[in-house]
Amino acid sequence: MQSAIVLGGGMIGVSAALHLQQRGWAVTLVDRREPGRETSYGNAGMIQAEAVRPYPMPRDLATLLKIATGRTNDVRYSLSSLHLHIEPLLRYWWHSAPKRHREAVDAWARLIAYATSEHDILIREAHADNLIRRAGYRMLHRDAASFDLAIKTAEEDRREFGVNFRVLSGKELARAEPVLRDDLPGAIHWLDTWTVSDPGALVTAYAELFERRGGTIVLGDAQSLQQTATGWSVDTDQGRLDAAHAVVTLGPWSPDLLHKFGYRIPLVRKRGYHMHYSGGASLDLPLIDKAGGYAMGPMAKGIRITTGAELTSPDALATPVQLASAEASARELIDLGKRVEPDPWFGTRPCTPDMLPVLGQAPQHPGLWMNFGHGHQGFTLGPATGRLLAEMMSGETPAIDPTPYRPERF
Ligand SMILES: Cc1cc2nc3c(=O)[nH]c(=O)nc-3n(C[C@H](O)[C@H](O)[C@H](O)COP(=O)(O)OP(=O)(O)OC[C@H]3O[C@@H](n4cnc5c(N)ncnc54)[C@H](O)[C@@H]3O)c2cc1C
């Protein structure tokens, strides 16, 4: 029987472990804490079938000036950490040119096409349907020009990728979400996206499924990974663990471990914050306020607001400026109620400069595999990329051509 240690129990690692297990592998999942308690816990909880275009870096001067002068809530940067981001940002800029972005869209959309169908299998097997809504989400536009442009792009996505949506006028939006004002221009209701009331709980449900099927989860430090005569070993609280293969699914921490083995994989680390609100109005479906640069959705603990991207250093203290601005924008729309937690949660979207995940075998280390860098949609893509990885590791013909995601491109 083939054996593997999966390092990192977020949505990506747990899904990969399940797919390997299904193919007869003996799999141990190692994390320094309980599965699903980092990035996969704190996100906006959307399984985004509509997200066929990975987010490029803005290249027009007006938007760049807005970011530079702090006049947008989508992106914020700390000047003192900018030197850490320069190299990945320059590469991100280069890959965001229209022709190269188009290549990224093609490779990305092929993965997104499997997102909901692969989650669906795991949701049913994990009996996690109580966490899921299959009713989409709404993207609010506060000005007519941005709304018109968004409708045009949505129509292109429908033609090319079969993504389904409905355009809602301001009045239709207010009928669908009576807690909202009725003087807004309108929204796009993306119909195919699913939303999760507690993202961490979905990872837990998948991890429990893995254990019920005979998988083992142990606490351990991935940084202790070593190559051995027969494969790979890692130190855990159960002692040393050995396997023929190791899989790095450490999300934003992945490049730190791979650095030890000589790999320099750049990441654009986009931090995001969340906060819950209760005691006010409740939304039916999640809403992205495009102009405000945030998302808000009904979740187990109340309405969760999640923010856009902050470029800061990985160990910087919380600077929830974007959260304050998002909260003020949200209060213009609905009665939010009170903050639930004393401090905001924050985590990092692991974004690669070419907007594609890193998936495949390490070029210089047989038996060492990578699956990370899913950026803004890792929660969406866990089961789809877990399947692709397991197919490759098992020597099957992969359902999708894995070439665009190969680690050796860096
Ligand atoms: C604000 C925000 C909103 C988002 N919204 C969405 C959304 O709506 N939809 C969507 O699809 N995506 C969303 N994302 C992106 C998504 O959350 C991530 O892409 C995804 O969670 C990454 O999953 P992962 O398993 O790679 O990483 P993680 O979930 O971070 O898992 C990595 C694991 O590695 C473990 N680990 C790290 N270091 C070590 C070590 N040394 N030893 C052992 N274990 C270690 C951690 O404990 C963790 O469990 C959002 C992200 C943010 C920040």
Side-chain angles (χ1 to χ4, degrees):
M1 185 191 269
Q2 290 273 40
S3 61
I5 304 167
V6 175
L7 298 162
M11 180 53 90
I12 303 298
V14 172
S15 302
L18 278 163
H19 274 286
L20 284 167
Q21 182 184 54
Q22 197 194 324
R23 286 165 176 78
W25 288 64
V27 185
T28 308
L29 184 66
V30 176
D31 200 300
R32 59 186 172 196
R33 51 193 306 199
E34 204 184 303
R37 287 297 163 267
E38 292 285 356
T39 332
S40 301
Y41 161 83
N43 56 55
M46 296 202 247
I47 299 176
Q48 285 186 268
E50 94 298 344
V52 290
R53 299 172 193 265
Y55 305 135
M57 183 171 167
R59 286 169 61 95
D60 64 290
L61 201 59
T63 309
L64 290 172
L65 270 174
K66 264 186 165 177
I67 295 170
T69 54
R71 283 183 296 121
T72 168
N73 204 37
D74 292 337
V75 187
R76 179 180 183 273
Y77 64 94
S78 92
L79 205 54
S80 61
S81 74
L82 210 52
H83 62 285
L84 300 171
H85 302 283
I86 289 293
E87 199 212 320
L89 279 179
L90 284 173
R91 294 171 80 160
Y92 188 17
W93 160 274
W94 191 82
H95 284 288
S96 298
K99 187 173 156 287
R100 294 182 201 106
H101 181 239
R102 180 66 234 189
E103 287 163 14
V105 171
D106 290 339
W108 183 258
R110 279 199 287 276
L111 292 173
I112 290 286
Y114 284 86
T116 47
S117 56
E118 287 299 330
H119 266 287
D120 197 38
I121 296 167
L122 298 185
I123 289 164
R124 276 190 282 111
E125 291 173 348
H127 309 298
D129 216 42
N130 57 319
L131 300 171
I132 312 295
R133 285 272 318 264
R134 292 172 168 82
Y137 80 94
R138 301 187 178 98
M139 173 86 79
L140 167 71
H141 290 269
R142 294 209 196 197
D143 74 88
S146 125
F147 194 24
D148 288 347
L149 184 65
I151 294 169
K152 236 180 95 194
T153 311
E155 277 163 357
E156 280 168 30
D157 288 351
R158 177 156 58 194
R159 268 196 306 278
E160 195 173 350
F161 302 105
V163 176
N164 293 307
F165 67 93
R166 262 189 69 208
V167 176
L168 302 179
S169 67
K171 293 241 161 357
E172 286 169 326
L173 175 61
R175 263 202 300 280
E177 289 285 10
V179 298
L180 286 179
R181 293 170 11 198
D182 65 358
D183 59 347
L184 297 158
I188 293 184
H189 183 173
W190 293 103
L191 299 165
D192 303 332
T193 287
W194 298 353
T195 56
V196 181
S197 59
D198 185 342
L202 187 63
V203 182
T204 302
Y206 289 179
E208 286 171 357
L209 173 66
F210 170 71
E211 282 185 306
R212 273 203 299 282
R213 290 178 167 173
T216 311
I217 301 178
V218 292
L219 291 176
D221 184 1
Q223 288 290 342
S224 65
L225 182 72
Q226 288 197 16
Q227 194 165 21
T228 65
T230 52
W232 297 89
S233 82
V234 69
D235 297 333
T236 75
D237 67 348
Q238 314 275 311
R240 182 179 137 155
L241 197 71
D242 283 274
H245 297 256
V247 185
V248 179
T249 53
L250 295 166
W253 295 276
S254 303
D256 304 342
L257 172 60
L258 291 165
H259 198 263
K260 245 180 74 175
F261 297 96
Y263 300 99
R264 306 271 183 277
I265 301 192
L267 273 194
V268 181
R269 293 166 191 275
K270 300 185 190 173
R271 185 187 277 190
Y273 295 82
H274 89 215
M275 172 58 71
H276 293 101
Y277 301 81
S278 71
S282 192
L283 286 167
D284 178 36
L285 289 176
L287 186 81
I288 293 184
D289 178 356
K290 182 82 175 95
Y294 67 95
M296 61 174 163
M299 291 225 179
K301 288 190 189 165
I303 289 193
R304 177 183 286 189
I305 288 191
T306 46
T307 64
E310 182 185 42
L311 301 174
T312 186
S313 75
D315 49 7
L317 297 175
T319 48
V321 179
Q322 287 157 297
L323 179 65
S325 165
E327 182 181 318
S329 299
R331 289 192 191 283
E332 291 168 13
L333 298 174
I334 64 168
D335 169 16
L336 256 189
K338 288 209 176 79
R339 287 188 168 205
V340 170
E341 296 96 350
D343 299 304
W345 171 92
F346 64 83
T348 302
R349 300 171 182 90
C351 303
T352 59
D354 65 3
M355 295 156 272
L356 297 176
V358 181
L359 200 164
Q361 189 159 209
Q364 309 300 331
H365 296 84
L368 179 62
W369 296 80
M370 307 182 193
N371 188 11
F372 64 91
H374 301 70
H376 293 251
Q377 273 91 30
F379 190 70
T380 299
L381 287 177
T385 56
R387 171 179 164 182
L388 181 56
L389 179 89
E391 286 170 346
M392 291 167 74
M393 288 177 68
S394 307
E396 296 170 21
T397 305
I400 305 167
D401 174 12
T403 315
Y405 326 111
R406 67 201 182 285
E408 48 271 47
R409 70 191 197 271
F410 291 111

